[in-house]
Amino acid sequence: GERLAYNDPLAKEVFDVTETSKGEILPISSSSSTWLRLRSIIRRLGAEESGIERIPESMRTDQSPRDLFTLWASANVGTATMAFGTLGPALFGLGWWDSFCCVLFFNLLGSFPAALMSTLGPKLGLRTLTIQRFSFGFWPAKLIAFINMINMIGWAMVNTIAGAAFLYNIGDGKLPASIAVLIIGLVALIVGMFGYHLVHQFERVSWLVMLVCFCIVAGFGAKHFPDVPMPTGPTEISGVLSFGTGIIGFQISWASIAADYGVYMRETHKPWKTFLYSYMGLFLSQFLVELLGVALMLTVTNSDAFAAAYDARGVGGLTGQIFEGYGSGVRNFGKFIQAILSFSTIAAVITNIYSLGLNAQMISDRLIKVPRLLWSLVGGGGAIIAAVAGRNHLQQVMEDFLNVVAYWLTPFLTIMFLEHILFRRGYAYDVSAWEDPKRLPYGIAAITCWSIGTVLAILCMSQTWWVGPIALKVGNPPYGTDISWELALGATTILYPPARWLERRLTGL
């Protein structure tokens, strides 16, 4: 089949030609010419024109792996992460020290997948969901891409609502929540559409500004943070495991896009450096900001003022209450800090919008002709509409959405890493085969094991709208205990190696 000669934009723009897989230069159709001219316009605007195609070494830059630290730090040093931390005490009834242990242990564990996936970007020059074709095959990979596209829309919605909650509180409820959502969403949409390089430029600065603001919030709030003792018994065990599932879901969701942000880095970068920068950015940001969210939520337990602020305006109200009692000057300063923090989620939303466009191109060969910028625009617009609709239900959206993420992502990532470790040692990928179905695996082993792992996770899930029969047997009724990701991980780890070995033996792929 024909493919666009992305590594020769001058030839495409001037001569209206395309290059076949055999290196032959042929005239292109008028429709293809239209897309090429559109890509030329996108390039002139300073936006990234590339999509899911491999980035060859000739197009790589001197970008440092340090950018992966700032990327993940910026994406997680935000109000969405802090709002997630509040779920430990708010939904699962945990105290300070059990929440602390959950945040520490599950983030130490959950940071590994995205950090490991980040190493594949520079080495292969391929996006995350293109790499999965080397285990799931060409056709089954389209299903995963579609699911992850919905995942990115959901994340953009959650992050946008979390930022808008702070804007809503600053306006003392006079600024409509829908307008607050639109402000956050539109700013993120503009940055995310322009692509890889602008995303990294934004992330290099955002994390440091937001970190200073969160330190100020912690400083003013310290005297209000109580040491609430941890509960005991089966309810405590269920709460710890359920909160842990949410933390795992929050962390591993980055793994499905992690390689996207290193494809322009030199292939010569040491994988351990890429891993270390990514891991530290992921772990430190989520650990520290989630703990602040836990501490904020615990103020509700021993203060009527904080309880009233939370009931009226959610997490934004809690943060605003910290600056009360010092006079109008401090109160206005607190609003200024909140105004800055409201835009912290933009750093996360732009990654959702950018990768969303890449996922859309994976679904169909025809969709790849449409520039990523347009798919990011359409998908980002859909996320903003969804955020406006769910603007008053942040806590419930986070609880349901984050746990569902862990259900399908755990077996998916397990398969990708087993493929990498057992069958692709030393980065043994034929990267030139990324778009050729005949040179890729059939994906029978991967899609079968993924389906089994996902179904098992559903049977072990515990949500307000569905409690799996296995979860119900493990914990106390009516909600049981959520052990979904643990069993999905175990089952997939056992099933995939022999199934993939058999597939390779029979097909040679």
Side-chain angles (χ1 to χ4, degrees):
E2 296 179 357
R3 62 182 175 84
L4 299 177
Y6 291 105
N7 59 338
D8 191 4
L10 181 62
K12 292 184 301 183
E13 182 178 349
V14 177
F15 299 107
D16 282 351
V17 297
T18 189
E19 181 186 17
T20 69
S21 58
K22 296 180 180 180
E24 301 170 328
I25 302 298
L26 300 174
I28 61 176
S29 66
S30 58
S31 61
S32 296
S33 178
T34 300
W35 291 122
L36 289 179
R37 294 185 189 281
L38 181 56
R39 286 177 181 270
S40 177
I41 294 172
I42 291 171
R43 183 168 64 253
R44 291 192 184 101
L45 291 173
E48 181 192 12
E49 60 173 314
S50 298
I52 62 169
E53 60 273 10
R54 182 175 183 265
I55 306 300
E57 188 65 24
S58 60
M59 293 180 63
R60 307 290 182 94
T61 68
D62 293 327
Q63 185 183 12
S64 170
R66 287 192 300 271
D67 278 354
L68 293 174
F69 172 85
T70 58
L71 173 84
W72 300 124
S74 291
N76 291 295
V77 179
T79 55
T81 307
M82 186 172 71
F84 173 71
T86 66
L87 299 185
L91 288 179
F92 306 115
L94 305 184
W96 167 251
W97 285 111
D98 46 350
S99 294
F100 177 92
C101 291
C102 282
V103 171
L104 175 62
F105 173 76
F106 288 106
N107 274 308
L108 282 170
L109 181 63
S111 299
F112 271 96
L116 182 57
M117 190 69 72
S118 293
T119 67
L120 299 182
K123 280 295 181 183
L124 306 181
L126 292 170
R127 315 291 181 157
T128 311
L129 292 193
T130 305
I131 299 171
Q132 59 138 346
R133 288 177 173 178
F134 291 91
S135 50
F136 279 82
F138 190 82
W139 301 108
K142 295 179 183 294
L143 171 63
I144 302 297
F146 176 78
I147 295 173
N148 198 58
M149 184 176 68
I150 303 301
N151 191 42
M152 290 297 100
I153 292 175
W155 270 115
M157 176 183 68
V158 167
N159 288 315
T160 301
I161 295 173
F166 276 63
L167 278 183
Y168 179 73
N169 181 68
I170 295 167
D172 295 324
K174 297 177 182 178
L175 177 69
S178 57
I179 300 300
V181 167
L182 285 174
I183 292 172
I184 300 297
L186 289 175
V187 174
L189 183 60
I190 293 171
V191 179
M193 282 190 340
F194 274 77
Y196 183 97
H197 300 294
L198 187 57
V199 168
H200 273 292
Q201 289 172 10
F202 184 91
E203 310 285 20
R204 288 178 193 132
V205 178
S206 176
W207 74 280
L208 192 55
V209 175
M210 300 308 166
L211 180 62
V212 171
C213 292
F214 276 120
C215 287
I216 292 172
V217 171
F220 275 92
K223 71 175 185 179
H224 301 288
F225 298 156
D227 181 8
V228 176
M230 57 186 287
T232 58
T235 302
E236 166 70 358
I237 296 174
S238 179
V240 166
L241 291 176
S242 296
F243 189 35
T245 298
I247 294 172
I248 291 293
F250 198 91
Q251 275 282 17
I252 68 174
S253 63
W254 293 118
S256 65
I257 62 174
D260 299 356
Y261 299 95
V263 292
Y264 285 93
M265 296 178 184
R266 299 288 183 193
E267 187 179 347
T268 53
H269 286 306
K270 299 293 185 183
W272 69 266
K273 286 187 178 180
T274 306
F275 175 87
L276 186 60
Y277 279 120
S278 298
Y279 186 87
M280 296 308 293
L282 288 158
F283 170 72
L284 290 176
S285 58
Q286 294 204 28
F287 172 66
L288 294 174
V289 180
E290 284 172 12
L291 280 184
L292 180 58
V294 170
L296 265 179
M297 194 65 220
L298 290 175
T299 60
V300 173
T301 61
N302 68 341
S303 171
D304 292 338
F306 277 91
Y310 179 72
D311 290 339
R313 294 170 194 157
V315 179
L318 278 180
T319 308
Q321 186 63 33
I322 282 175
F323 297 97
E324 296 293 336
Y326 295 98
S328 60
V330 172
R331 189 183 308 114
N332 291 332
F333 174 69
K335 288 186 176 182
F336 172 72
I337 295 298
Q338 283 189 285
I340 297 176
L341 287 176
S342 66
F343 291 95
S344 64
T345 56
I346 290 175
V349 178
I350 60 178
T351 60
N352 306 142
I353 291 174
Y354 174 71
S355 291
L356 184 155
L358 298 171
N359 292 170
Q361 290 187 325
M362 278 282 299
I363 296 173
S364 167
D365 292 344
R366 293 185 177 183
L367 299 185
I368 193 176
K369 296 179 181 179
V370 181
R372 177 209 53 81
L373 183 147
L374 295 184
W375 289 124
S376 293
L377 175 62
V378 173
I384 293 174
I385 294 172
V388 170
R391 63 191 180 276
N392 296 320
H393 307 284
L394 174 61
Q395 189 180 78
Q396 192 62 46
V397 168
M398 290 190 79
E399 179 195 10
D400 295 341
F401 178 70
L402 288 171
N403 285 324
V404 170
V405 166
Y407 300 149
W408 76 268
L409 261 180
T410 297
F412 166 71
L413 293 173
T414 302
I415 288 168
M416 285 198 68
F417 293 138
L418 287 173
E419 177 74 24
H420 177 71
I421 295 169
L422 299 179
F423 304 106
R424 308 281 179 177
R425 296 178 187 176
Y427 298 91
Y429 296 82
D430 180 5
V431 293
S432 65
W434 72 270
E435 58 178 342
D436 187 352
K438 295 179 180 179
R439 297 163 62 193
L440 293 167
Y442 288 96
I444 297 173
I447 197 67
T448 301
C449 294
W450 175 79
S451 299
I452 293 172
T454 302
V455 170
L456 184 60
I458 293 172
L459 294 175
C460 299
M461 67 184 280
S462 174
Q463 295 293 315
T464 54
W465 45 272
W466 164 255
V467 179
I470 297 178
L472 193 60
K473 293 292 184 181
V474 173
N476 294 329
Y479 295 115
T481 299
D482 194 314
I483 55 171
S484 54
W485 72 269
E486 295 94 334
L487 289 190
L489 172 64
T492 310
T493 301
I494 293 172
L495 293 174
Y496 184 70
R500 181 71 175 109
W501 177 85
L502 181 61
E503 182 182 43
R504 285 166 62 95
R505 184 73 178 268
L506 295 176
T507 66
L509 296 172

